[in-house]
Amino acid sequence: MGKIDFGGVVEDVVTREEFSLDKAREVLKDETIVVLGYGVQGPAQALNLKDNGFNVIIGQLEGDAYWEKAVKDGFVPGKTLFPLEEAAKQGTIIKELLSDAGQTATWPVVKKCLNEGDALYFSHGFSIVYKDQTRIIPPDNIDVILVAPKGSGTNVRRNFLDGSGINSSYAVFQDYTGRAKERTLALGIAIGSGYLFPTTFENEVYSDLTGERGVLMGCLAGTMEAQYNILRKNGHSPSEAFNETVEELTQSLIRLVGENGMDWMFSNCSATAQRGALDWAPKFRDAVTPVFEDLYDRVKTGKETKRVLEVNSAPDYQEKLTAELNEIKNSEMWQAGAAVRSLRPENRKIRHLSI
């Protein structure tokens, strides 16, 4: 385990050099890894494990769209693809990669499949931390562990294929076998993590729920919409408003921030942009801080969890979700975005062919 200085705070990290893929294979050589849920994280983690040579099978609702996706990805019904309960019975490591609401709904089935010494694996601390609401309380005679990739399933797979990997946090909630930590690190390396850093189930879920509601998606989408609407209100065309709000960010600036940091970005833009951005950044920071304080409080007190479980477990959940997403998709802003994307050089040839 290495120690890295993160802006003046020294933290532990585990890289592939310190915990090799060969070591992971040795640690997990006698394990059968069951991935429950072939939705978002399931395909990426399962395929990465499979490509790295681990013994992995899928548990999914038989015959649904995700079952068919698993078949298309090469998993074979009756051999490496089974209904949930049947799959769970075969595993020594059970990866709970169903949705949070799905984990709650299927827990009675999964719990009865766990045997002494098994490992129950999560990629999110949700079910364990909010056990008062999820009712997921593991038996004492198993390991309970977590590896949480810091990215979508799409990029967990995409980065694995290009050799870079997605960074992941890891945690041990319960160590019955005395092997929980080495199992956790081995699984983190086996799914292709770039490096691993320690957390707790609590800190993982608090930071994750705050991040996805905040800068990663909720705050980002809301801020984009606010700026786009102001530009449109003041007479700018949809094309101009979208380019100045989203396209320049996603196609240019955020890539440079990712490569070099925000300090580099401030140092390598025009003097006019530099002055304006430096002046306005504190104003935006101060404006949204109270919103983030409210958000973190709602996460920590379980209010966000209550809403997730209530809404996502409703019988008409999918119908209402589709209506919400269609409203965004059909808005002027994101219709303008579709037109802007179609004009990118890499998409223009396809566009002309389709006319």
Side-chain angles (χ1 to χ4, degrees):
M1 184 176 292
K3 292 188 178 297
I4 301 293
D5 185 336
F6 290 91
V9 178
V10 177
E11 299 182 33
D12 296 326
V13 298
V14 179
T15 68
R16 299 171 189 171
E17 288 71 34
E18 291 147 347
F19 200 109
S20 68
L21 183 57
D22 285 342
K23 183 176 180 180
R25 289 179 176 134
E26 178 63 25
V27 170
L28 302 176
K29 64 182 180 182
D30 296 323
E31 307 275 14
T32 298
I33 304 169
V34 172
V35 173
L36 298 182
Y38 207 73
V40 179
Q41 280 287 330
Q45 295 196 28
L47 290 170
N48 293 359
L49 286 164
K50 182 183 174 187
D51 287 353
N52 272 335
F54 293 91
N55 181 22
V56 56
I57 62 177
I58 307 298
Q60 179 59 46
L61 183 63
E62 188 171 14
D64 72 359
Y66 298 117
W67 175 281
E68 296 303 325
K69 176 175 171 52
V71 172
K72 287 179 182 176
D73 286 346
F75 292 98
V76 181
K79 292 185 178 179
T80 53
L81 173 61
F82 298 91
L84 284 174
E85 184 173 357
E86 196 173 338
K89 287 178 179 176
Q90 299 182 50
T92 56
I93 295 175
I94 313 298
K95 280 177 168 254
E96 273 279 20
L97 299 182
L98 294 158
S99 69
D100 294 319
Q103 290 177 25
T104 300
T106 59
W107 174 241
V109 172
V110 173
K111 184 179 180 181
K112 68 182 183 182
C113 298
L114 296 171
N115 297 308
E116 181 178 1
D118 284 352
L120 184 63
Y121 166 113
F122 296 89
S123 282
H124 196 17
F126 189 99
S127 292
I128 296 297
V129 172
Y130 301 114
K131 61 181 183 298
D132 291 347
Q133 297 185 58
T134 65
R135 307 297 181 195
I136 294 180
I137 301 173
D140 294 334
N141 63 350
I142 64 168
D143 295 340
V144 181
I145 61 180
L146 173 146
V147 176
K150 299 296 108 180
S152 70
T154 298
N155 282 339
V156 170
R157 181 59 176 165
R158 187 176 292 172
N159 286 25
F160 173 84
L161 292 174
D162 72 19
S164 59
I166 288 278
N167 303 328
S168 302
S169 59
Y170 73 91
V172 173
F173 179 77
Q174 185 169 291
D175 183 6
Y176 174 75
T177 65
R179 297 179 54 235
K181 185 174 181 180
E182 71 170 4
R183 276 172 144 177
T184 306
L185 295 179
L187 287 162
I189 295 299
I191 64 169
S193 299
Y195 72 83
L196 295 151
F197 61 95
T199 186
T200 63
F201 274 62
E202 288 83 2
N203 283 346
E204 191 285 329
V205 74
Y206 295 164
S207 59
D208 186 76
L209 293 184
T210 300
E212 61 199 14
R213 283 155 176 74
V215 170
L216 301 180
M217 285 196 292
C219 175
L220 179 65
T223 305
M224 284 177 170
E225 187 178 350
Q227 177 170 305
Y228 179 90
N229 289 342
I230 288 295
L231 291 174
R232 288 289 290 133
K233 182 180 176 182
N234 284 278
H236 298 268
S237 67
S239 173
E240 185 169 60
F242 192 86
N243 269 286
E244 292 290 353
T245 301
V246 179
E247 194 72 354
E248 187 172 342
L249 172 69
T250 60
Q251 298 303 297
S252 175
L253 302 192
I254 204 66
R255 296 177 181 176
L256 295 172
V257 172
E259 291 171 6
N260 305 294
M262 201 67 214
D263 56 325
W264 184 94
M265 192 69 252
F266 280 135
S267 299
N268 288 273
C269 60
S270 71
T272 302
Q274 181 186 62
R275 184 68 268 141
L278 286 170
D279 286 347
W280 278 88
K283 296 180 183 179
F284 282 110
R285 178 199 62 206
D286 294 344
V288 300
T289 293
V291 181
F292 276 101
E293 287 176 340
D294 180 42
L295 167 58
Y296 194 84
D297 180 71
R298 286 183 55 84
V299 167
K300 193 170 182 178
T301 56
K303 292 176 183 173
E304 286 297 305
T305 295
K306 183 173 185 289
R307 173 158 172 77
V308 167
L309 293 176
E310 286 180 352
V311 174
N312 293 5
S313 301
D316 59 351
Y317 160 68
Q318 192 59 52
E319 182 182 335
K320 288 185 175 178
L321 175 64
T322 300
E324 280 185 280
L325 297 181
N326 282 340
E327 184 177 348
I328 297 171
K329 179 181 178 181
N330 296 325
S331 67
E332 181 198 278
M333 178 179 170
W334 290 106
Q335 287 294 305
V340 170
R341 289 194 298 277
S342 75
L343 289 169
R344 291 177 190 162
E346 68 271 24
N347 296 332
R348 210 173 298 159
K349 184 178 179 181
I350 298 172
R351 174 174 172 269
H352 287 322
L353 287 173
S354 65
I355 290 173

